[in-house]
Amino acid sequence: MSSSEAYVSFQGVQKSYDGETLVVKDLNLDTQRGEFLTMLGPSGSGKSTCLMMLAGFETVTHGEIILDGTSINNVPPHKRNIGMVFQNYALFPHMTVNENLAFPLQVRKMSKSDIEDRVKNVLDMVQLGSFGSRRPMQLSGGQQQRVAVARSLVCDPKAFMMDEPLGALDKQLREQMQYEKKISIRCWCNNSLCDSRSK
Amino acid sequence: MSNRIAVFNDGVIQQLAAPDTLYEAPENAFVAQFIGENNTLYGKVIGLDGDICTVEAENGDKLKALGVNIQGVGFDTMISLRPERVEVNPESGQCSSTVTGKVEELIYLGDHIRSRMNVCGQDDFIVKIPNSANHAQLSPGDTVKVGWKAEDARALDVLVS
Ligand SMILES: Nc1ncnc2c1ncn2[C@@H]1O[C@H](COP(=O)(O)OP(=O)(O)OP(=O)(O)O)[C@@H](O)[C@H]1O
Ligand SMILES: [Mg+2]
């Protein structure tokens, strides 16, 4: 697989937080447009670090990350257009679900009616269409996670990443998201797509 | 749409493959132990014939395995073998390795019976016996023959833990 056809490409990527130990050693990984990639490994093996580097919240110590033909090492996170659900997904507690979803679009100065359409679409996609006016506290853990998924998709990202298990999303919903055409790659950490035991 | 899994350990991708490949054909001991359940038998490579190696287990039993990630004759290896690929009391000629197992424990799970045995001196050897018509009727303490095909037993690197 040549890197020219890869959509996301890690090329010789290393990461050290303390300048001494490498927590990501020499990562070479090419993913295709539309590919569904899962990262699986024991706690502390470097999965989240890879996602954080791709999303731009951690710097790359050595090597290069290419997104859609362009090196993104020096592109700030908000200009990468990557949707990410964090391991501890944080929703704004004082806002309703609708307001949480509208927020990233308001920041991008989208028109009010477009915002309403988009919010409704993503909320329907995670099957929470009727929960728009609730606050996060009034939702179950799994429902909160689905709102976090919706929020990371609302800006129509080039790539979508989700850290940690999708336990809250049932298989059907997972598959539906997988085939949603707009989304390009997904990284699932530690999920149970295959029967795994960590020792 | 492709669907691959990157198995990470210690900041390194150990194997990047489709789920079925990871399960059926792990390339190293880490992946074999991390993905699904596997029996592990320790021994030393004493012969090599093409892809198939002969391994002497710790109790002296001689086993046939596919040499996937071995250093050569004289080196230690770890054989990895899925519980569902072990036959109890196999018909002659069906298996390339047949050894004696002692039944330690049986757990009834409906569709199959999970049997923990002592095999090659290790008492954590798991065999899944499908609950099919005429399946082997075992009791704890029984001595049986267990066997497998050489291709299903993967001779891998020895994990340092
Ligand atoms: N901000 C940080 N500063 C220093 N070290 C960090 C930081 N974040 C992670 N690490 C270390 O980097 C290593 C890899 O961590 P990472 O979060 O990538 O693991 P992970 O594979 O996502 O684990 P888990 O399955 O537990 O989420 C760990 O040893 C961790 O302690
Ligand atoms: Mg993590």
Side-chain angles (χ1 to χ4, degrees):
Chain A
M1 194 189 299
S2 84
S3 59
S4 60
E5 55 178 319
Y7 188 64
V8 172
S9 178
F10 286 80
Q11 302 183 352
V13 170
Q14 298 185 343
K15 176 67 183 179
S16 174
Y17 286 103
D18 60 6
E20 279 177 33
T21 27
L22 290 175
V23 298
V24 173
K25 286 180 180 150
D26 179 25
L27 188 75
N28 292 288
L29 176 64
D30 286 346
T31 69
Q32 308 302 301
R33 193 182 285 273
E35 178 163 10
F36 176 66
L37 181 85
T38 304
M39 294 177 172
L40 197 69
S43 184
S45 57
K47 306 176 299 289
S48 294
T49 301
C50 291
L51 296 191
M52 296 295 269
M53 288 191 290
L54 177 52
F57 299 109
E58 283 296 344
T59 58
V60 172
T61 306
H62 186 84
E64 212 162 15
I65 302 179
I66 315 281
L67 173 62
D68 203 7
T70 315
S71 169
I72 53 171
N73 279 31
N74 298 314
V75 179
H78 63 280
K79 296 215 170 121
R80 294 189 185 191
N81 199 9
I82 290 175
M84 177 156 178
V85 177
F86 294 91
Q87 197 158 350
N88 51 348
Y89 45 93
L91 297 170
F92 301 118
H94 59 289
M95 291 184 186
T96 65
V97 168
N98 279 336
E99 288 162 355
N100 264 283
L101 297 181
F103 184 73
L105 301 175
Q106 286 159 352
V107 172
R108 284 172 169 74
K109 309 243 181 304
M110 193 179 274
S111 80
K112 225 177 170 171
S113 64
D114 283 351
I115 291 180
E116 272 174 28
D117 284 353
R118 284 261 193 123
V119 167
K120 189 182 175 311
N121 277 341
V122 288
L123 212 50
D124 283 345
M125 196 177 123
V126 296
Q127 297 170 4
L128 289 175
S130 57
F131 290 77
S133 52
R134 293 213 199 167
R135 285 177 208 283
M137 287 280 285
Q138 299 167 312
L139 299 174
S140 75
Q143 289 166 339
Q144 290 179 31
Q145 191 179 26
R146 277 143 68 183
V147 174
V149 169
R151 190 174 61 180
S152 70
L153 294 175
V154 77
C155 291
D156 205 5
K158 286 185 162 188
F160 167 67
M161 303 187 294
M162 169 132 190
D163 203 348
E164 280 309 292
L166 266 186
L169 304 185
D170 59 30
K171 190 165 173 286
Q172 208 183 345
L173 186 58
R174 215 155 47 181
E175 282 168 358
Q176 186 185 329
M177 291 180 39
Q178 186 172 338
Y179 291 105
E180 176 74 30
K181 291 256 163 40
K182 291 177 213 147
I183 305 162
S184 296
I185 71 152
R186 300 155 197 85
C187 302
W188 254 240
C189 286
N190 274 349
N191 81 336
S192 52
L193 280 185
C194 62
D195 171 27
S196 72
R197 288 181 309 166
S198 71
K199 293 196 173 173
Chain B
M1 166 129 37
S2 71
N3 176 2
R4 291 183 300 167
I5 297 176
V7 179
F8 273 69
N9 191 36
D10 201 17
V12 176
I13 295 181
Q14 302 289 319
Q15 192 171 348
L16 173 64
D20 55 340
T21 307
L22 284 180
Y23 189 87
E24 305 279 343
E27 280 164 9
N28 62 42
F30 178 82
V31 175
Q33 300 212 335
F34 195 73
I35 305 288
E37 184 175 31
N38 247 321
N39 288 305
T40 300
L41 295 171
Y42 293 93
K44 192 187 284 289
V45 178
I46 56 166
L48 191 57
D49 179 11
D51 288 346
I52 304 299
C53 60
T54 306
V55 174
E56 187 174 280
E58 286 171 339
N59 73 338
D61 279 347
K62 294 192 175 48
L63 315 170
K64 297 279 185 203
L66 186 65
V68 176
N69 192 349
I70 53 173
Q71 288 171 279
V73 174
F75 287 91
D76 287 342
T77 185
M78 195 199 95
I79 294 178
S80 196
L81 175 63
R82 297 282 178 206
E84 65 269 26
R85 292 297 169 94
V86 179
E87 287 284 339
V88 175
N89 295 328
E91 288 162 30
S92 63
Q94 197 186 349
C95 293
S96 27
S97 298
T98 305
V99 295
T100 302
K102 180 168 164 278
V103 179
E104 302 281 349
E105 189 184 7
L106 292 166
I107 301 172
Y108 181 81
L109 290 168
D111 63 333
H112 75 275
I113 294 125
R114 187 180 164 85
S115 172
R116 183 170 63 81
M117 298 189 185
N118 189 317
V119 170
C120 298
Q122 291 170 228
D123 67 1
D124 57 356
F125 192 90
I126 302 295
V127 181
K128 287 181 184 169
I129 302 162
N131 192 359
S132 50
N134 308 318
H135 71 84
Q137 301 287 338
L138 304 181
S139 309
D142 286 356
T143 297
V144 292
K145 290 283 172 199
V146 290
W148 55 84
K149 297 195 171 75
E151 313 84 75
D152 289 330
R154 300 177 68 82
L156 303 170
D157 52 312
V158 179
L159 265 188
V160 274
S161 52

